[in-house]
């Protein structure tokens, strides 16, 4: 049996007619950028993220310094061209730039860090905890006079303890940025990620849980003025045709992607539930002392963008899985502080030992919507016999 690490075709096939109808509607509309599809998508995506589950408690969100009067039950959204744009534009609109520091976990995807450095700000790395999330105990000791924000990355679709992070941000007057590119619909105490801080940043890259059919992204926030400013910024800083308030960017989520994403959004609960079942099955059936399986921490609702195991003989395991035609991916082999692109930050090997250890041990095993029980059993058997 051949099993790919990820598949994007099955999710499309499951609701093929609806995707095709949406695409045709846009093609035939004669309108392709900044129209009704985007506007309705933004409303629906905001409302999806505002929805809380029964167990939600009022976790005071962090809205430091922006506006005193925003309502934390309301969520607004702006569609952008990618997840990276959501990060760098979100950070720029918070006024973070040259000379400022942003605390972020060391074991994240490069885009989280580029969102910071594209604004001239400096990433301050902290180590991950045993669950691959930011080590909250390490945040406070990294705060300096220059710290402006904490960026939490809900890595692999797992969830960080937002009660504690919000508390720290409030205590020190820091902005809170959430990178939710891997965590659409994930919750902490019944409240969706992306709604705890000043800005939640999403990617709809095709492999993400909520994938588009091309590049796409969005930000969410409680402050409508902040979202309006981002809508101006994404369109050359133009609030009105040919009148430019600020020097902006071209980062619009197009009508085609917005229409297709509205279909995907309708099925997000189905997508998430299926991934949660796959993850639960892996966790209950993988049984090999050489392999550490991930856990869903108390109070969290993980959406399992990846199912990431750890193994000391990781590279040997990859070869073994390859022989059995089982795909796997390393997320990520080189941590940002050791990337060539960030040589100028002056970090060195051994500086973040846990981050580096994870880079050598993590492995994402096959996980995709539409994966059959038979396929999953084949992977489980292989892992247990390693
Ligand atoms: C995918 C991803 C991004 C970037 O999203 P793009 O849409 O590819 O620009 C940012 N952060 C994390 C954690 C991601 O996984």
């Amino acid at each position: 049996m051949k099993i790919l690490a990820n598949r994007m075709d099955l999710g499309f096939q499951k609701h093929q007619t609806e995707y095709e109808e949406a695409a045709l509607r846009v093609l035939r509309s004669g309108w392709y950028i900044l129209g009704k599809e985007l506007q309705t998508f933004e409303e629906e995506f905001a409302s999806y993220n505002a929805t809380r589950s029964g167990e939600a408690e009022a976790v005071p969100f962090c809205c430091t310094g922006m506006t005193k009067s925003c309502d934390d039950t309301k969520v607004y959204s702006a569609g952008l061209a990618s997840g990276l744009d959501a990060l760098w534009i979100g950070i720029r609109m918070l006024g973070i730039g040259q000379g400022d520091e942003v605390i972020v976990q060391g074991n994240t995807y490069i885009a989280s860090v580029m969102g910071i450095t594209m604004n001239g700000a400096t990433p301050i790395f902290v180590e991950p905890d045993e669950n691959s999330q930011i080590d909250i105990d390490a945040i406070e000791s990294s705060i300096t006079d220059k710290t402006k924000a904490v960026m939490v990355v809900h890595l692999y679709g797992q969830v960080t303890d937002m009660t504690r992070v919000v508390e720290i941000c409030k205590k020190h007057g820091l902005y809170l940025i959430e990178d939710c590119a891997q965590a659409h619909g994930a919750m902490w105490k019944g409240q969706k990620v992306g709604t705890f801080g000043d800005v939640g940043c999403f990617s709809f890259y095709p492999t993400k849980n909520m994938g588009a059919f091309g590049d796409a992204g969005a930000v969410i926030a409680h402050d409508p003025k902040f979202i309006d400013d981002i809508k101006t910024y994404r369109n050359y800083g133009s609030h009105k045709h040919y009148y430019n308030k600020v020097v902006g960017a071209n980062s619009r989520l197009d009508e085609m992607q917005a229409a297709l994403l509205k279909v995907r959004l309708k099925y997000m609960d189905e997508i998430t539930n299926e991934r949660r079942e796959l993850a639960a099955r892996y966790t209950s059936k993988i049984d090999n002392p050489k392999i550490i399986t991930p856990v869903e921490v108390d109070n969290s609702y993980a959406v399992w963008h990846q199912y990431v195991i750890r193994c000391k003989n990781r590279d040997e395991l990859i070869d073994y899985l390859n022989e059995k035609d089982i795909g796997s991916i390393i997320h990520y082999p080189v941590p940002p502080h050791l990337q060539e692109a960030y040589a100028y930050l002056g970090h060195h090997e051994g500086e973040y030992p846990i981050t580096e250890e994870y880079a050598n041990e993590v492995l994402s095993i096959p996980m995709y919507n539409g994966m059959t029980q038979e396929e999953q059993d084949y992977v489980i058997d292989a892992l247990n016999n390693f």
Side-chain angles (χ1 to χ4, degrees), residues 81-85 87 108-109 111-112 153 155 179 181-182 202-205 208 215-217 305 332:
S82 73
L84 174 63
D85 283 4
L87 286 159
T108 186
Y109 181 54
S112 316
V153 186
L155 200 68
D179 180 345
Q182 305 190 355
F202 291 84
S203 163
F204 307 118
Y205 184 75
K208 309 288 183 187
D215 274 311
H305 174 56
Y332 299 91

Side-chain angles (χ1 to χ4, degrees), residues 156-216:
Y156 308 143
Q158 302 274 18
V159 186
T160 305
D161 179 339
M162 295 313 288
T163 312
R164 290 185 61 207
V165 174
V166 165
E167 228 172 71
I168 293 171
C169 289
K170 288 200 142 177
K171 181 172 156 199
H172 296 274
L174 303 176
Y175 288 118
L176 172 52
I177 300 151
E178 290 177 83
D179 180 345
C180 307
Q182 305 190 355
H184 317 76
M187 291 184 275
W188 174 255
K189 293 190 173 173
Q191 182 178 336
K192 297 252 174 34
V193 300
T195 65
F196 290 92
D198 297 288
V199 60
C201 306
F202 291 84
S203 163
F204 307 118
Y205 184 75
T207 61
K208 309 288 183 187
N209 288 19
M210 187 172 159
F213 296 79
D215 274 311

Side-chain angles (χ1 to χ4, degrees), residues 304-319:
W304 301 99
H305 174 56
Q306 304 293 350
Y307 191 92
V308 181
I309 59 172
R310 295 213 309 271
C311 178
K312 294 270 179 217
N313 322 80
R314 195 260 321 268
D315 295 339
E316 215 180 295
L317 176 58
I318 294 174
D319 291 343

